[in-house]
């Protein structure tokens, strides 16, 4: 048996299913798309779909399941099961957290559950690395830091709330290159939404060293924080929107790895 | 010659071209789509197109011209001319206003000018009226009040800035119906982005009686303000983004009336 530095997306899903993988997925499956997961009762699917249409930077919708179907459209995650293939899940009931993190959600899946896959910024991290723009949390083998902000989403039906951001530090002179490299990734959050130390005030981030999700950042002298919209946003929206029934998300940073290749979702 | 209460879009464009119409277009051409206009140097077209993709509620892109072409794709505004068919234009050079309002912009049109048409909320006003949700500024024969806000757009390349909103007052118990009626109009701003007196603080509106554009509101006892994103947004973005060359917008409230029927752009 050979040891592989880069397991395929199918292997990562298999490892999540068997319990071998319980950590975050940053840096895994270079060249492939990673996805945030949100599973909702069918009665909220139309409002949520429109929330994604109205907020494509925070909530870039990649795919939506048929109600009750745990599988995926052909080519997305072949042989996969949405209730077992994510390394960690978070479960909400009636708008409150009931499981902070759990290994599978077979017991929570409902007959009318609908799964949404939302683009994840991990998808563009190997493009940054290939451009010599090293991604700090990968270097440091940490999860990306994520912060709640005061930037409101455009509401849709029952759903409203603020966007969540992920942060990667870069030297100020590299910010324009960082913007350019990530710009074509429109289906995985695209270019940053704010950057520089001034951005903390604009976004309403009180303490850069205390992210709401993920690991604390490592920022070196002369670097500035660069913020991208983050697919954890829908989970904060769920908490904000008083909806009824079981809602399931991924544990922040622990994504579903898709068979889709990056070039399949790049904009011109 | 017969007098018509509802001139066709082609007639409205002809009246704008001949100088017969210099006022706002609220209430005109029921059943048809009205559009905001922004004309940019071609070098900024890709960034602007992506600004629209990233901010589809404030900047819902309906159509984009070929550089230098004053006409429209078939069926949009047949026989029209983008430099003459809007009742009033505002002109910017190097990010500063050079014409507060002018009747045509033939003299400002450049060989590499690209015209963008952006959905306008006037498009759903007759649906509100048909549902018995009277539109106050139509009743009062005024232009809609419009306000700059502190809600930031998702930036794109050279472009960044805050969204502009339009306001229509309704009784609090009618807000959910107002939301439902306008929800399918995703290409003309869709459902409101905020409502109620609390929204003033959230949006950063200091004085409801002093809109930045349009006419002052008439709000009756027991009514609350309801705010929609507004297609004047790109013009504020242009002022905020230090871009070079000639930029042309419509005068707020004075829209391009399209041949497109409302049902052609409704979401399911």
């Amino acid at each position: 048996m050979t040891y592989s530095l880069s397991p395929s997306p199918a292997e990562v899903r298999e490892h999540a299913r068997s319990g071998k993988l319980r950590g975050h997925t940053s840096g895994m499956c270079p060249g492939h798309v990673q996805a945030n997961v949100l599973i909702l009762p069918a009665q909220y699917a139309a409002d949520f779909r429109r929330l994604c249409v109205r907020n494509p930077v925070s909530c870039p919708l990649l795919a939506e399941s048929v109600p009750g179907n745990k599988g995926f459209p052909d080519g997305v995650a072949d042989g996969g099961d949405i209730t077992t293939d994510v390394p960690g899940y978070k479960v909400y009931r009636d708008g409150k957290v009931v499981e902070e993190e759990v290994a599978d959600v077979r017991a929570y899946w409902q007959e009318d559950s609908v799964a949404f896959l939302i683009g994840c910024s991990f998808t563009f991290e190997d493009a940054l690395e290939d451009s010599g723009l090293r991604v700090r949390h990968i270097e440091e083998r940490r999860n990306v830091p994520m912060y709640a902000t005061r930037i409101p989403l455009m509401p849709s039906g029952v759903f409203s709330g603020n966007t969540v951001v992920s942060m990667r530090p870069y030297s100020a002179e590299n910010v324009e290159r960082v913007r350019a490299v990530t710009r074509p990734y429109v289906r995985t959050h695209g270019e940053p939404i704010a950057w520089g130390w001034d951005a903390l005030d604009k976004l309403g981030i009180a303490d850069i060293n205390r992210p709401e999700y993920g690991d604390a950042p490592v920022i070196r002298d002369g670097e500035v924080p660069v913020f991208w919209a983050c697919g954890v946003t829908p989970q904060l929206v769920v908490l904000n929107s008083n909806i009824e029934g079981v809602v399931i998300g991924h544990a922040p940073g622990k994504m579903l790895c898709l068979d889709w290749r990056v070039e399949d979702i790049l904009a011109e």
Side-chain angles (χ1 to χ4, degrees), chain A:
Chain A
M1 187 180 158
T2 56
Y3 180 75
S4 167
L5 274 174
S6 297
S8 72
E11 287 169 322
V12 170
R13 295 195 298 272
E14 166 57 32
H15 294 168
R17 200 178 311 147
S18 68
K20 193 170 159 187
L21 172 66
R22 285 286 162 263
H24 66 78
T25 55
S26 175
M28 291 187 183
C29 307
H32 292 83
V33 177
Q34 296 200 26
N36 302 273
V37 172
L38 195 75
I39 300 171
L40 289 167
Q43 67 180 114
Y44 300 116
D47 280 352
F48 187 76
R49 194 182 306 127
R50 206 176 282 114
L51 183 81
C52 295
V53 169
R54 282 165 69 85
N55 299 279
V57 178
S58 301
C59 309
L61 185 56
L62 297 176
E64 175 184 346
S65 79
V66 172
N69 189 332
K70 301 178 184 179
F72 300 93
D74 280 355
V76 173
D78 287 347
D81 181 325
I82 191 73
T83 65
T84 57
D85 290 8
V86 174
Y89 297 87
K90 196 162 176 171
V91 183
Y92 309 80
R93 195 191 300 270
D94 299 338
K96 291 190 174 55
V97 177
V98 291
E99 297 269 16
E100 193 55 54
E101 187 162 338
V102 63
D104 76 72
V105 289
R106 286 176 294 187
Y108 290 102
W109 181 261
Q110 311 286 307
E111 259 182 29
D112 73 336
S113 288
V114 179
F116 292 89
L117 303 185
I118 310 248
C120 170
S121 58
F122 287 170
T123 305
F124 57 59
E125 289 182 335
D126 51 297
L128 287 167
E129 296 252 321
D130 288 350
S131 303
L133 298 160
R134 295 302 308 280
V135 177
R136 180 64 39 74
H137 64 267
I138 294 181
E139 273 185 274
E140 301 278 344
R141 298 177 170 275
R142 292 173 175 233
N143 195 353
V144 69
M146 292 163 270
Y147 306 83
T149 73
R150 65 164 141 238
I151 309 292
L153 298 181
M154 298 295 171
S156 167
V158 298
F159 294 113
S160 64
N162 294 341
T163 195
V164 175
V165 291
S166 64
M167 193 283 288
R168 294 156 186 82
Y170 285 99
S171 66
E173 63 265 28
N174 275 336
V175 168
E176 283 306 314
R177 278 180 62 220
V178 167
R179 295 182 72 203
V181 168
T182 57
R183 188 164 291 144
Y185 290 78
V186 293
R187 296 188 69 188
T188 63
H189 307 297
E191 66 182 274
I193 70 168
W195 51 91
W197 291 108
D198 291 353
L200 269 60
D201 212 35
K202 177 179 170 189
L203 298 174
I205 295 173
D207 185 348
I208 193 77
N209 291 312
R210 298 185 59 183
E212 270 81 14
Y213 310 100
D215 292 325
V218 176
I219 306 180
R220 299 191 182 137
D221 280 356
E223 291 181 335
V224 298
V226 182
F227 298 96
W228 282 263
C230 174
V232 172
T233 303
Q235 296 193 43
L236 228 69
V237 166
V238 163
L239 282 172
N240 192 59
S241 301
N242 295 316
I243 70 171
E244 292 175 358
V246 173
V247 175
I248 302 165
H250 64 289
K254 303 181 181 181
M255 318 307 292
L256 182 69
C257 290
L258 306 187
D259 297 337
W260 273 351
R261 297 197 62 88
V262 165
E263 53 268 31
D264 297 335
I265 63 156
L266 278 187
E268 100 288 16

mmCIF file of all heavy atoms in Angstrom, chain A residues 115-152:
data_model
loop_
_atom_site.group_PDB
_atom_site.id
_atom_site.type_symbol
_atom_site.label_atom_id
_atom_site.label_comp_id
_atom_site.label_asym_id
_atom_site.label_seq_id
_atom_site.Cartn_x
_atom_site.Cartn_y
_atom_site.Cartn_z
ATOM 1 N N ALA A 115 -30.390 19.203 1.093
ATOM 2 C CA ALA A 115 -28.988 19.592 1.309
ATOM 3 C C ALA A 115 -28.550 20.623 0.276
ATOM 4 O O ALA A 115 -28.809 20.479 -0.919
ATOM 5 C CB ALA A 115 -28.087 18.365 1.212
ATOM 6 N N PHE A 116 -27.904 21.677 0.766
ATOM 7 C CA PHE A 116 -27.329 22.713 -0.103
ATOM 8 C C PHE A 116 -25.809 22.672 0.031
ATOM 9 O O PHE A 116 -25.280 22.600 1.151
ATOM 10 C CB PHE A 116 -27.834 24.094 0.324
ATOM 11 C CG PHE A 116 -29.296 24.307 0.073
ATOM 12 C CD1 PHE A 116 -30.235 23.960 1.031
ATOM 13 C CD2 PHE A 116 -29.735 24.844 -1.129
ATOM 14 C CE1 PHE A 116 -31.589 24.144 0.801
ATOM 15 C CE2 PHE A 116 -31.092 25.035 -1.366
ATOM 16 C CZ PHE A 116 -32.015 24.679 -0.395
ATOM 17 N N LEU A 117 -25.112 22.722 -1.103
ATOM 18 C CA LEU A 117 -23.652 22.831 -1.101
ATOM 19 C C LEU A 117 -23.274 24.248 -1.515
ATOM 20 O O LEU A 117 -23.768 24.767 -2.518
ATOM 21 C CB LEU A 117 -23.036 21.830 -2.081
ATOM 22 C CG LEU A 117 -23.392 20.360 -1.848
ATOM 23 C CD1 LEU A 117 -22.609 19.478 -2.831
ATOM 24 C CD2 LEU A 117 -23.129 19.940 -0.409
ATOM 25 N N ILE A 118 -22.414 24.857 -0.716
ATOM 26 C CA ILE A 118 -22.033 26.260 -0.891
ATOM 27 C C ILE A 118 -20.514 26.319 -1.057
ATOM 28 O O ILE A 118 -19.792 25.639 -0.309
ATOM 29 C CB ILE A 118 -22.436 27.038 0.383
ATOM 30 C CG1 ILE A 118 -23.887 26.737 0.729
ATOM 31 C CG2 ILE A 118 -22.064 28.499 0.298
ATOM 32 C CD1 ILE A 118 -24.839 27.813 0.603
ATOM 33 N N GLY A 119 -20.040 27.094 -2.019
ATOM 34 C CA GLY A 119 -18.604 27.168 -2.302
ATOM 35 C C GLY A 119 -17.780 27.561 -1.076
ATOM 36 O O GLY A 119 -18.246 28.312 -0.222
ATOM 37 N N CYS A 120 -16.546 27.048 -1.011
ATOM 38 C CA CYS A 120 -15.652 27.297 0.130
ATOM 39 C C CYS A 120 -14.331 27.888 -0.357
ATOM 40 O O CYS A 120 -13.778 27.450 -1.369
ATOM 41 C CB CYS A 120 -15.381 25.986 0.863
ATOM 42 S SG CYS A 120 -14.075 26.130 2.118
ATOM 43 N N SER A 121 -13.817 28.851 0.401
ATOM 44 C CA SER A 121 -12.587 29.546 -0.008
ATOM 45 C C SER A 121 -11.347 28.651 0.062
ATOM 46 O O SER A 121 -10.320 28.995 -0.514
ATOM 47 C CB SER A 121 -12.381 30.807 0.845
ATOM 48 O OG SER A 121 -12.323 30.483 2.215
ATOM 49 N N PHE A 122 -11.418 27.499 0.710
ATOM 50 C CA PHE A 122 -10.287 26.565 0.656
ATOM 51 C C PHE A 122 -9.962 26.220 -0.800
ATOM 52 O O PHE A 122 -8.832 25.864 -1.127
ATOM 53 C CB PHE A 122 -10.602 25.268 1.424
ATOM 54 C CG PHE A 122 -10.612 25.415 2.919
ATOM 55 C CD1 PHE A 122 -11.077 24.378 3.723
ATOM 56 C CD2 PHE A 122 -10.164 26.572 3.541
ATOM 57 C CE1 PHE A 122 -11.096 24.486 5.114
ATOM 58 C CE2 PHE A 122 -10.181 26.691 4.935
ATOM 59 C CZ PHE A 122 -10.650 25.649 5.711
ATOM 60 N N THR A 123 -11.003 26.309 -1.661
ATOM 61 C CA THR A 123 -10.856 25.945 -3.067
ATOM 62 C C THR A 123 -9.782 26.765 -3.769
ATOM 63 O O THR A 123 -9.121 26.273 -4.689
ATOM 64 C CB THR A 123 -12.229 26.124 -3.774
ATOM 65 O OG1 THR A 123 -13.212 25.362 -3.074
ATOM 66 C CG2 THR A 123 -12.169 25.700 -5.228
ATOM 67 N N PHE A 124 -9.595 28.048 -3.384
ATOM 68 C CA PHE A 124 -8.599 28.857 -4.103
ATOM 69 C C PHE A 124 -7.247 28.908 -3.393
ATOM 70 O O PHE A 124 -6.326 29.587 -3.852
ATOM 71 C CB PHE A 124 -9.113 30.259 -4.431
ATOM 72 C CG PHE A 124 -9.586 31.112 -3.275
ATOM 73 C CD1 PHE A 124 -8.746 31.432 -2.220
ATOM 74 C CD2 PHE A 124 -10.868 31.637 -3.282
ATOM 75 C CE1 PHE A 124 -9.177 32.240 -1.179
ATOM 76 C CE2 PHE A 124 -11.318 32.446 -2.243
ATOM 77 C CZ PHE A 124 -10.465 32.753 -1.189
ATOM 78 N N GLU A 125 -7.113 28.171 -2.294
ATOM 79 C CA GLU A 125 -5.866 28.293 -1.541
ATOM 80 C C GLU A 125 -4.669 27.733 -2.295
ATOM 81 O O GLU A 125 -3.565 28.272 -2.203
ATOM 82 C CB GLU A 125 -6.006 27.619 -0.168
ATOM 83 C CG GLU A 125 -6.918 28.420 0.753
ATOM 84 C CD GLU A 125 -7.046 27.830 2.146
ATOM 85 O OE1 GLU A 125 -6.841 26.612 2.294
ATOM 86 O OE2 GLU A 125 -7.346 28.608 3.073
ATOM 87 N N ASP A 126 -4.857 26.664 -3.086
ATOM 88 C CA ASP A 126 -3.671 26.185 -3.806
ATOM 89 C C ASP A 126 -3.308 27.118 -4.967
ATOM 90 O O ASP A 126 -2.136 27.196 -5.339
ATOM 91 C CB ASP A 126 -3.762 24.714 -4.211
ATOM 92 C CG ASP A 126 -5.021 24.357 -4.945
ATOM 93 O OD1 ASP A 126 -6.098 24.492 -4.342
ATOM 94 O OD2 ASP A 126 -4.927 23.938 -6.102
ATOM 95 N N ALA A 127 -4.290 27.875 -5.497
ATOM 96 C CA ALA A 127 -3.940 28.888 -6.513
ATOM 97 C C ALA A 127 -3.086 29.991 -5.873
ATOM 98 O O ALA A 127 -2.128 30.488 -6.480
ATOM 99 C CB ALA A 127 -5.203 29.484 -7.131
ATOM 100 N N LEU A 128 -3.412 30.391 -4.642
ATOM 101 C CA LEU A 128 -2.577 31.368 -3.925
ATOM 102 C C LEU A 128 -1.174 30.800 -3.721
ATOM 103 O O LEU A 128 -0.166 31.449 -4.038
ATOM 104 C CB LEU A 128 -3.217 31.725 -2.573
ATOM 105 C CG LEU A 128 -4.467 32.612 -2.626
ATOM 106 C CD1 LEU A 128 -5.181 32.626 -1.275
ATOM 107 C CD2 LEU A 128 -4.112 34.046 -3.045
ATOM 108 N N GLU A 129 -1.100 29.568 -3.238
ATOM 109 C CA GLU A 129 0.215 28.959 -2.984
ATOM 110 C C GLU A 129 1.021 28.841 -4.290
ATOM 111 O O GLU A 129 2.220 29.128 -4.302
ATOM 112 C CB GLU A 129 0.020 27.569 -2.356
ATOM 113 C CG GLU A 129 -0.657 27.620 -0.990
ATOM 114 C CD GLU A 129 0.286 27.310 0.159
ATOM 115 O OE1 GLU A 129 1.125 26.416 0.006
ATOM 116 O OE2 GLU A 129 0.193 27.996 1.209
ATOM 117 N N ASP A 130 0.339 28.451 -5.380
ATOM 118 C CA ASP A 130 1.032 28.316 -6.668
ATOM 119 C C ASP A 130 1.555 29.658 -7.166
ATOM 120 O O ASP A 130 2.487 29.709 -7.971
ATOM 121 C CB ASP A 130 0.087 27.724 -7.728
ATOM 122 C CG ASP A 130 -0.197 26.254 -7.476
ATOM 123 O OD1 ASP A 130 0.479 25.650 -6.616
ATOM 124 O OD2 ASP A 130 -1.108 25.709 -8.141
ATOM 125 N N SER A 131 0.954 30.756 -6.703
ATOM 126 C CA SER A 131 1.420 32.101 -7.090
ATOM 127 C C SER A 131 2.456 32.639 -6.106
ATOM 128 O O SER A 131 2.816 33.811 -6.158
ATOM 129 C CB SER A 131 0.226 33.066 -7.140
ATOM 130 O OG SER A 131 -0.746 32.595 -8.033
ATOM 131 N N GLY A 132 2.895 31.782 -5.207
ATOM 132 C CA GLY A 132 3.889 32.229 -4.225
ATOM 133 C C GLY A 132 3.296 33.027 -3.080
ATOM 134 O O GLY A 132 4.029 33.614 -2.277
ATOM 135 N N LEU A 133 1.973 33.060 -3.004
ATOM 136 C CA LEU A 133 1.289 33.800 -1.932
ATOM 137 C C LEU A 133 0.902 32.786 -0.858
ATOM 138 O O LEU A 133 -0.229 32.310 -0.792
ATOM 139 C CB LEU A 133 0.058 34.521 -2.514
ATOM 140 C CG LEU A 133 0.412 35.565 -3.586
ATOM 141 C CD1 LEU A 133 -0.795 35.883 -4.471
ATOM 142 C CD2 LEU A 133 0.941 36.843 -2.943
ATOM 143 N N ARG A 134 1.883 32.426 -0.023
ATOM 144 C CA ARG A 134 1.714 31.359 0.952
ATOM 145 C C ARG A 134 0.515 31.625 1.870
ATOM 146 O O ARG A 134 0.305 32.751 2.306
ATOM 147 C CB ARG A 134 2.982 31.212 1.820
ATOM 148 C CG ARG A 134 4.239 30.770 1.068
ATOM 149 C CD ARG A 134 4.048 29.433 0.362
ATOM 150 N NE ARG A 134 3.537 28.366 1.223
ATOM 151 C CZ ARG A 134 4.283 27.654 2.072
ATOM 152 N NH1 ARG A 134 5.575 27.905 2.210
ATOM 153 N NH2 ARG A 134 3.739 26.690 2.790
ATOM 154 N N VAL A 135 -0.233 30.579 2.126
ATOM 155 C CA VAL A 135 -1.410 30.675 2.984
ATOM 156 C C VAL A 135 -0.960 30.318 4.405
ATOM 157 O O VAL A 135 -0.571 29.182 4.681
ATOM 158 C CB VAL A 135 -2.524 29.728 2.490
ATOM 159 C CG1 VAL A 135 -3.722 29.768 3.433
ATOM 160 C CG2 VAL A 135 -2.938 30.108 1.063
ATOM 161 N N ARG A 136 -1.002 31.309 5.288
ATOM 162 C CA ARG A 136 -0.420 31.155 6.616
ATOM 163 C C ARG A 136 -0.962 29.960 7.388
ATOM 164 O O ARG A 136 -0.198 29.189 7.980
ATOM 165 C CB ARG A 136 -0.645 32.442 7.419
ATOM 166 C CG ARG A 136 -0.080 32.435 8.848
ATOM 167 C CD ARG A 136 1.443 32.322 8.876
ATOM 168 N NE ARG A 136 2.086 33.084 7.833
ATOM 169 C CZ ARG A 136 2.207 34.407 7.815
ATOM 170 N NH1 ARG A 136 1.749 35.149 8.816
ATOM 171 N NH2 ARG A 136 2.802 35.009 6.806
ATOM 172 N N HIS A 137 -2.297 29.800 7.420
ATOM 173 C CA HIS A 137 -2.822 28.715 8.267
ATOM 174 C C HIS A 137 -2.456 27.332 7.721
ATOM 175 O O HIS A 137 -2.419 26.369 8.481
ATOM 176 C CB HIS A 137 -4.333 28.854 8.506
ATOM 177 C CG HIS A 137 -5.162 28.734 7.266
ATOM 178 N ND1 HIS A 137 -5.550 29.818 6.521
ATOM 179 C CD2 HIS A 137 -5.660 27.650 6.617
ATOM 180 C CE1 HIS A 137 -6.277 29.412 5.497
ATOM 181 N NE2 HIS A 137 -6.347 28.107 5.515
ATOM 182 N N ILE A 138 -2.169 27.247 6.415
ATOM 183 C CA ILE A 138 -1.680 25.961 5.878
ATOM 184 C C ILE A 138 -0.228 25.744 6.327
ATOM 185 O O ILE A 138 0.122 24.661 6.823
ATOM 186 C CB ILE A 138 -1.797 25.917 4.332
ATOM 187 C CG1 ILE A 138 -3.280 25.943 3.934
ATOM 188 C CG2 ILE A 138 -1.104 24.681 3.764
ATOM 189 C CD1 ILE A 138 -3.535 25.889 2.435
ATOM 190 N N GLU A 139 0.591 26.800 6.187
ATOM 191 C CA GLU A 139 1.980 26.732 6.692
ATOM 192 C C GLU A 139 2.010 26.281 8.148
ATOM 193 O O GLU A 139 2.865 25.496 8.562
ATOM 194 C CB GLU A 139 2.611 28.139 6.667
ATOM 195 C CG GLU A 139 3.267 28.571 5.389
ATOM 196 C CD GLU A 139 3.925 29.944 5.611
ATOM 197 O OE1 GLU A 139 3.215 30.974 5.460
ATOM 198 O OE2 GLU A 139 5.117 29.984 5.941
ATOM 199 N N GLU A 140 1.095 26.861 8.929
ATOM 200 C CA GLU A 140 1.083 26.618 10.380
ATOM 201 C C GLU A 140 0.265 25.381 10.760
ATOM 202 O O GLU A 140 0.105 25.084 11.945
ATOM 203 C CB GLU A 140 0.508 27.849 11.105
ATOM 204 C CG GLU A 140 1.261 29.148 10.863
ATOM 205 C CD GLU A 140 2.496 29.271 11.778
ATOM 206 O OE1 GLU A 140 2.567 28.522 12.771
ATOM 207 O OE2 GLU A 140 3.364 30.104 11.465
ATOM 208 N N ARG A 141 -0.283 24.718 9.739
ATOM 209 C CA ARG A 141 -1.131 23.521 9.958
ATOM 210 C C ARG A 141 -2.273 23.811 10.941
ATOM 211 O O ARG A 141 -2.551 23.039 11.875
ATOM 212 C CB ARG A 141 -0.280 22.340 10.449
ATOM 213 C CG ARG A 141 0.775 21.918 9.430
ATOM 214 C CD ARG A 141 1.670 20.801 9.921
ATOM 215 N NE ARG A 141 2.495 20.294 8.817
ATOM 216 C CZ ARG A 141 2.112 19.374 7.940
ATOM 217 N NH1 ARG A 141 0.905 18.847 8.019
ATOM 218 N NH2 ARG A 141 2.927 18.992 6.980
ATOM 219 N N ARG A 142 -2.914 24.951 10.711
ATOM 220 C CA ARG A 142 -4.072 25.330 11.522
ATOM 221 C C ARG A 142 -5.305 25.428 10.648
ATOM 222 O O ARG A 142 -5.205 25.444 9.425
ATOM 223 C CB ARG A 142 -3.847 26.728 12.124
ATOM 224 C CG ARG A 142 -2.766 26.810 13.157
ATOM 225 C CD ARG A 142 -2.541 28.260 13.526
ATOM 226 N NE ARG A 142 -1.577 28.364 14.601
ATOM 227 C CZ ARG A 142 -1.779 29.023 15.730
ATOM 228 N NH1 ARG A 142 -2.901 29.680 15.934
ATOM 229 N NH2 ARG A 142 -0.862 29.056 16.665
ATOM 230 N N ASN A 143 -6.442 25.558 11.298
ATOM 231 C CA ASN A 143 -7.679 25.888 10.594
ATOM 232 C C ASN A 143 -7.669 27.399 10.324
ATOM 233 O O ASN A 143 -6.992 28.166 11.026
ATOM 234 C CB ASN A 143 -8.895 25.494 11.448
ATOM 235 C CG ASN A 143 -10.209 25.454 10.655
ATOM 236 O OD1 ASN A 143 -10.256 25.838 9.488
ATOM 237 N ND2 ASN A 143 -11.258 24.986 11.312
ATOM 238 N N VAL A 144 -8.403 27.825 9.298
ATOM 239 C CA VAL A 144 -8.481 29.266 8.984
ATOM 240 C C VAL A 144 -9.281 29.985 10.082
ATOM 241 O O VAL A 144 -10.255 29.426 10.602
ATOM 242 C CB VAL A 144 -9.127 29.468 7.590
ATOM 243 C CG1 VAL A 144 -10.613 29.093 7.593
ATOM 244 C CG2 VAL A 144 -8.932 30.885 7.066
ATOM 245 N N PRO A 145 -8.895 31.206 10.475
ATOM 246 C CA PRO A 145 -9.726 31.966 11.420
ATOM 247 C C PRO A 145 -10.944 32.563 10.716
ATOM 248 O O PRO A 145 -10.841 33.078 9.606
ATOM 249 C CB PRO A 145 -8.789 33.072 11.925
ATOM 250 C CG PRO A 145 -7.688 33.164 10.930
ATOM 251 C CD PRO A 145 -7.644 31.891 10.134
ATOM 252 N N MET A 146 -12.097 32.503 11.390
ATOM 253 C CA MET A 146 -13.350 33.018 10.825
ATOM 254 C C MET A 146 -14.038 33.927 11.847
ATOM 255 O O MET A 146 -14.004 33.640 13.050
ATOM 256 C CB MET A 146 -14.282 31.846 10.465
ATOM 257 C CG MET A 146 -13.762 31.002 9.306
ATOM 258 S SD MET A 146 -14.567 29.350 9.187
ATOM 259 C CE MET A 146 -13.468 28.349 10.210
ATOM 260 N N TYR A 147 -14.657 35.010 11.342
ATOM 261 C CA TYR A 147 -15.216 36.040 12.216
ATOM 262 C C TYR A 147 -16.642 36.380 11.782
ATOM 263 O O TYR A 147 -16.921 36.511 10.582
ATOM 264 C CB TYR A 147 -14.390 37.333 12.116
ATOM 265 C CG TYR A 147 -12.914 37.141 12.380
ATOM 266 C CD1 TYR A 147 -12.055 36.701 11.371
ATOM 267 C CD2 TYR A 147 -12.371 37.394 13.642
ATOM 268 C CE1 TYR A 147 -10.696 36.524 11.602
ATOM 269 C CE2 TYR A 147 -11.013 37.217 13.886
ATOM 270 C CZ TYR A 147 -10.183 36.780 12.858
ATOM 271 O OH TYR A 147 -8.837 36.599 13.098
ATOM 272 N N ALA A 148 -17.527 36.578 12.746
ATOM 273 C CA ALA A 148 -18.837 37.176 12.451
ATOM 274 C C ALA A 148 -18.614 38.666 12.194
ATOM 275 O O ALA A 148 -17.699 39.273 12.764
ATOM 276 C CB ALA A 148 -19.784 36.979 13.635
ATOM 277 N N THR A 149 -19.411 39.258 11.313
ATOM 278 C CA THR A 149 -19.279 40.699 11.017
ATOM 279 C C THR A 149 -20.611 41.408 11.229
ATOM 280 O O THR A 149 -21.625 40.768 11.532
ATOM 281 C CB THR A 149 -18.872 40.953 9.549
ATOM 282 O OG1 THR A 149 -19.999 40.679 8.701
ATOM 283 C CG2 THR A 149 -17.679 40.109 9.140
ATOM 284 N N ARG A 150 -20.579 42.744 11.024
ATOM 285 C CA ARG A 150 -21.851 43.487 11.078
ATOM 286 C C ARG A 150 -22.391 43.791 9.685
ATOM 287 O O ARG A 150 -23.323 44.583 9.544
ATOM 288 C CB ARG A 150 -21.659 44.796 11.858
ATOM 289 C CG ARG A 150 -20.732 45.793 11.227
ATOM 290 C CD ARG A 150 -20.901 47.201 11.845
ATOM 291 N NE ARG A 150 -19.637 47.894 12.012
ATOM 292 C CZ ARG A 150 -19.182 48.351 13.170
ATOM 293 N NH1 ARG A 150 -19.893 48.240 14.260
ATOM 294 N NH2 ARG A 150 -18.024 48.960 13.231
ATOM 295 N N ILE A 151 -21.819 43.160 8.644
ATOM 296 C CA ILE A 151 -22.298 43.422 7.276
ATOM 297 C C ILE A 151 -23.547 42.590 7.022
ATOM 298 O O ILE A 151 -23.491 41.364 6.955
ATOM 299 C CB ILE A 151 -21.217 43.040 6.226
ATOM 300 C CG1 ILE A 151 -19.859 43.664 6.564
ATOM 301 C CG2 ILE A 151 -21.691 43.400 4.824
ATOM 302 C CD1 ILE A 151 -19.804 45.145 6.426
ATOM 303 N N PRO A 152 -24.723 43.256 6.856
ATOM 304 C CA PRO A 152 -25.959 42.481 6.703
ATOM 305 C C PRO A 152 -26.072 41.831 5.331
ATOM 306 O O PRO A 152 -25.660 42.404 4.322
ATOM 307 C CB PRO A 152 -27.053 43.529 6.891
ATOM 308 C CG PRO A 152 -26.423 44.826 6.525
ATOM 309 C CD PRO A 152 -24.959 44.708 6.853
#
